[in-house]
Amino acid sequence: MGFISEFKEFAMKGNVLDMAVGVIIGGAFGKIVSSLVDDVLMPLVGMVTGNVDFTNLAFQIGEGEGAAVLKYGNFIQNTVDFLIVAFCIFLMLKGINKFNRKKEEPAPAPEAPKGPTQEELLAEIRDLLKNK
């Protein structure tokens, strides 16, 4: 089996294609969430905290050109991004699990037929044979 045909077989498997679709949708979803955080939530949080722009919050260690700048505001922004994405994924998986649980519920057991049981019928046959 050649390298090209082996790669083609690998790339055409369902799991690989599903993963590719997930990565593409995840990237687009990440942009939507980033916009939600950057353009909607963080301005509101900034307003509540006295119009603080979190992306510009930084702490400088040292003086001059060799100083280290810790941009903790950007870290706060990315943490909020992550929490929102994680919460959305949690809600999505919770909904999928609820849907799958309903689908997997077993059908109710059929009702037992009304009438004599097998033991009762056998006893009746036995009694009829004794009477002959």
Side-chain angles (χ1 to χ4, degrees), residues 2 28 33 35 37 40 48 55 66 70 73 82 86 90 97 102 109 112 115 120-121:
V33 171
S35 176
V37 171
V40 178
V48 170
T55 56
L70 304 176
F82 169 76
F90 168 75
N97 287 339
K102 284 183 181 177
E120 292 171 340
L121 290 174

Side-chain angles (χ1 to χ4, degrees), residues 12-69:
M12 292 300 138
K13 285 185 179 177
N15 292 344
V16 174
L17 294 175
D18 292 344
M19 185 178 69
V21 170
V23 167
I24 292 168
I25 290 175
F29 185 69
K31 289 180 181 179
I32 291 170
V33 171
S34 292
S35 176
L36 174 69
V37 171
D38 294 342
D39 302 330
V40 178
L41 295 179
M42 292 313 279
L44 294 173
V45 171
M47 189 174 74
V48 170
T49 60
N51 291 324
V52 175
D53 182 11
F54 280 88
T55 56
N56 294 327
L57 293 178
F59 182 73
Q60 183 173 337
I61 300 174
E63 296 291 327
E65 197 174 303
V69 179

